[in-house]
Amino acid sequence: MFGFGLLEPVEPLTPLGMRLVGVFLGVLYGWVFIEIVWPSLAGLLAMMLVGGMKPVTLLNNSFGHPIVQMMFFIFVFCATINHYGLSRFISLWFITRKFVAGRPWLFSFTFLASIFILGALTSASPAALIGWSILYGVCEVCGYKKGDSYPTMMVFGIVFAAQIGQSMIPFKQVALTVFSAYETMSGMGIDYAKYMLIACLICLLCALFFIVLGKYIFRPDMSKLLNLEADKLDTDGSLNLTGMQKTVLLFLFLLVLLLLAPNFLPADFFLTRFLKAIGNTGIVILLVKVMAAIKVEGKPLLNFKVMVDSGVTWGIVLLLAFVQPLTIAMAAPGSGITDFLMQLLTPFFGESSSITFALFIGFAAVALT
């Protein structure tokens, strides 16, 4: 973090650009090989010392940034969904529909689709764990044993679905981190509604692709699923919602609706003006505030301290808090980083289509991850 900037700058990088690249490489190494928390904090300190940002400006662009604040309150909101057991309800609801009965491949496709939605509403890890627990119940009812081809395939399929689904909703961890960096560096906003439409189509295509792989390449034994009675999977009554669960589910639909509403409502409509005035972060704070104020049986619907303790992934918050000021500094003309990247990539992509460049960026992101 502190030594790279002492090297002779590579044109058109400036000395500041060299120091910023060093900070980025150091933090990236820490994220990959150590952990998220203290390398992110070390990166923030390095930005103050060698990154050319004063502490007040840095903190305003990191922890004070609306995107970082929104991430925090989204974690609190999603923790409430998990707390009331709605994640298991959502997954079970999909796979107990009558149209999947006796259709093993359609059942598997619907199962993966439900995990996409869980990954979108919560995050990849709880979605995968819930998916596995339901899969084990399916295996027990159908007579599958450990090591059989179908459960082996679906164990991987569930993780695949959970990871991709995490990016389906634009105000969650992965998408929000990438959005904030892109918008900061390009100055262009992203339409949430259009993003969700494209992301949902991609998720469905990914699920379909996995099913095609299973049917024609993996070819597991599906015969035991033909007579599956999906209702037997609800061993703990998860499909019977309580009043509190229905209320939380209503707030979930309300969150999505309010975040997308400004894209559909007339610009001069009073609700549109109100939602734009408070922004996406304000919408999440508003709903969290209302849920914390509502009391059911003498207890708040959302216990803020409990949800913060159980739901906020501080590593992701700190990662985003570092990424925000770093992208601002790297995009500034004084660093020379943008010019350096253009000079580096133009010989390879100068005459290529935008699709080729987009594919390259996708592969580069996968490699870095």
Side-chain angles (χ1 to χ4, degrees):
M1 289 188 199
F2 297 96
F4 196 83
L6 301 177
L7 299 175
E8 188 69 24
V10 179
E11 292 291 340
L13 288 177
T14 65
L16 173 61
M18 289 290 287
R19 294 196 296 271
L20 290 172
V21 171
V23 174
F24 169 70
L25 293 177
V27 173
L28 182 63
Y29 177 88
W31 289 342
V32 173
F33 295 105
I34 308 171
E35 63 159 328
I36 299 295
V37 175
W38 75 256
S40 298
L41 294 173
L44 287 171
L45 290 172
M47 290 289 290
M48 297 180 193
L49 295 171
V50 300
M53 295 191 78
K54 295 181 179 179
V56 173
T57 303
L58 177 71
L59 294 175
N60 283 339
N61 290 321
S62 57
F63 295 104
H65 196 280
I67 295 291
V68 179
Q69 300 293 328
M70 183 177 179
M71 180 78 79
F72 172 82
F73 284 100
I74 282 290
F75 275 130
V76 174
F77 190 93
C78 291
T80 309
I81 295 174
N82 283 331
H83 178 75
Y84 285 102
L86 286 173
S87 298
R88 185 172 176 83
F89 161 78
I90 292 169
S91 186
L92 281 174
W93 186 89
F94 274 90
I95 63 175
T96 53
R97 298 305 90 195
K98 291 183 179 180
F99 69 87
V100 304
R103 299 173 178 174
W105 288 112
L106 183 59
F107 169 84
S108 302
F109 177 82
T110 307
F111 193 179
L112 292 180
S114 72
I115 302 302
F116 279 133
I117 294 173
L118 282 188
L121 296 178
T122 57
S123 61
S125 296
L129 291 174
I130 291 168
W132 283 343
S133 69
I134 294 174
L135 175 66
Y136 300 153
V138 171
C139 294
E140 185 177 348
V141 171
C142 294
Y144 284 113
K145 297 178 182 179
K146 183 179 179 180
D148 286 349
S149 54
Y150 180 75
T152 300
M153 180 188 78
M154 289 301 290
V155 161
F156 287 96
I158 286 168
V159 176
F160 171 69
Q163 291 286 354
I164 296 178
Q166 189 175 215
S167 300
M168 190 163 65
I169 291 183
F171 43 84
K172 294 303 300 301
Q173 301 99 297
V174 177
L176 204 57
T177 303
V178 178
F179 277 17
S180 62
Y182 174 80
E183 291 177 354
T184 299
M185 298 184 77
S186 69
M188 297 171 60
I190 295 175
D191 188 318
Y192 278 13
K194 291 179 181 178
Y195 173 86
M196 283 190 65
L197 176 61
I198 295 172
C200 287
L201 291 174
I202 290 174
C203 284
L204 290 175
L205 288 174
C206 286
L208 183 61
F209 175 70
F210 188 85
I211 294 300
V212 170
L213 283 178
K215 188 172 184 178
Y216 296 104
I217 297 179
F218 303 143
R219 298 181 180 179
D221 176 18
M222 307 290 283
S223 59
K224 296 179 181 179
L225 287 169
L226 290 173
N227 298 316
L228 171 64
E229 296 180 25
D231 292 340
K232 291 183 178 180
L233 300 175
D234 186 20
T235 56
D236 54 1
S238 296
L239 288 174
N240 299 317
L241 293 179
T242 65
M244 293 183 72
Q245 288 176 316
K246 290 178 181 178
T247 304
V248 174
L249 193 62
L250 176 63
F251 273 98
L252 172 60
F253 287 126
L254 193 59
L255 173 66
V256 176
L257 183 64
L258 291 179
L259 286 170
L260 297 179
N263 296 304
F264 300 103
L265 296 176
D268 57 349
F269 188 50
F270 80 95
L271 182 59
T272 307
R273 295 199 303 270
F274 170 74
L275 295 176
K276 287 185 176 181
I278 63 175
N280 293 330
T281 304
I283 291 171
V284 183
I285 293 175
L286 172 65
L287 293 181
V288 169
K289 185 269 296 183
V290 173
M291 293 172 73
I294 294 175
K295 289 193 175 182
V296 181
E297 298 177 357
K299 298 180 180 179
L301 182 65
L302 186 156
N303 188 316
F304 191 78
K305 183 180 184 305
V306 173
M307 296 306 115
V308 169
D309 291 343
S310 65
V312 178
T313 306
W314 288 106
I316 301 296
V317 174
L318 290 170
L319 184 150
L320 187 57
F322 169 75
V323 165
Q324 279 300 122
L326 179 70
T327 52
I328 293 172
M330 293 179 77
S335 69
I337 293 176
T338 301
D339 294 335
F340 174 77
L341 291 175
M342 292 296 294
Q343 180 177 297
L344 185 68
L345 296 176
T346 297
F348 297 99
F349 299 102
E351 303 298 327
S352 302
S353 68
S354 57
I355 297 296
T356 304
F357 181 74
L359 288 172
F360 168 77
I361 293 297
F363 284 121
V366 170
L368 286 173
T369 307

